[in-house]
Amino acid sequence: MIASVRGEVLDIALDHAVIEAAGVGYRVNATPVTLGALHRGSEARLFTTMIVREDSMTLYGFSDLESKDLFSLLQTVSGVGPRLAMATLAVLEPEALRRALSEGNLTALTRVPGIGKRGAERMVVELRDKVDAVPTTAGVSGAVAANAIRDQIVEALEGLGFPLKQAEQATDSVLAETPGATTSVALRSALSLLGKTR
């Protein structure tokens, strides 16, 4: 099971991106919102769900865990497969989807291509009580961003030849002192801190 892919974005198409991780290019299906945040040649990390069928193995990628969890939850509704779940997330952002399901807003749900009135009613009935169990990323995004910055700095320091433990300690102390620092500022601070200890 491939739970996430991190690497260079090689290609971006209308419904998927190709991300190279450890020398392998993974074709990851994604929503327009997720694809819009990617840039060719830059590094990206997508949380993924792998769907295995008799004739295919398909990766679906998401920029946050909330979307990934909602994708899985949508497929618990009879008649909703991966394509329809992706279409739903392409039309309705996670917050709008939660609201539509909890308020029973059939008009919002039927805006999704492939979902009629009966399908929307089924989704509301089956998911209304379950959707609140999916954790939101609204409050987590800051922590995710901080972790991403930390990982980048530690990786950069390792690349410069510092031992992992030293790199982590320097990064943690810099981020504790200046929590809002950008990656480049925090990296410079960590380097000067490590320079003093050598």
Side-chain angles (χ1 to χ4, degrees), residues 172-194:
D172 290 340
S173 64
V174 165
L175 292 176
E177 278 176 40
T178 52
T182 62
T183 309
S184 55
V185 169
L187 179 59
R188 278 199 296 274
S189 304
L191 277 169
S192 74
L193 188 66
L194 285 165

Side-chain angles (χ1 to χ4, degrees), residues 1-7 9 15-19 26-38 43-51 58-75 80-94 97 134-135 137 144:
M1 187 67 181
I2 300 171
S4 74
V5 175
R6 186 179 82 176
V9 179
D15 63 345
H16 71 273
V18 177
I19 297 177
Y26 293 92
R27 183 191 197 275
V28 185
N29 290 2
T31 63
V33 173
T34 301
L35 294 169
L38 302 177
E43 186 167 293
R45 169 181 284 163
L46 293 179
F47 298 101
T48 56
T49 295
M50 188 173 182
I51 308 275
T58 312
L59 274 178
Y60 294 88
F62 310 90
S63 53
D64 57 76
L65 287 170
E66 180 182 9
S67 299
K68 180 184 171 181
D69 292 344
L70 287 170
F71 174 73
S72 298
L73 183 66
L74 284 165
Q75 290 177 77
V80 178
R83 275 216 181 116
L84 203 48
M86 282 304 267
T88 305
L89 288 168
V91 173
L92 298 167
E93 296 273 307
L97 177 59
V134 176
T137 51
V144 171

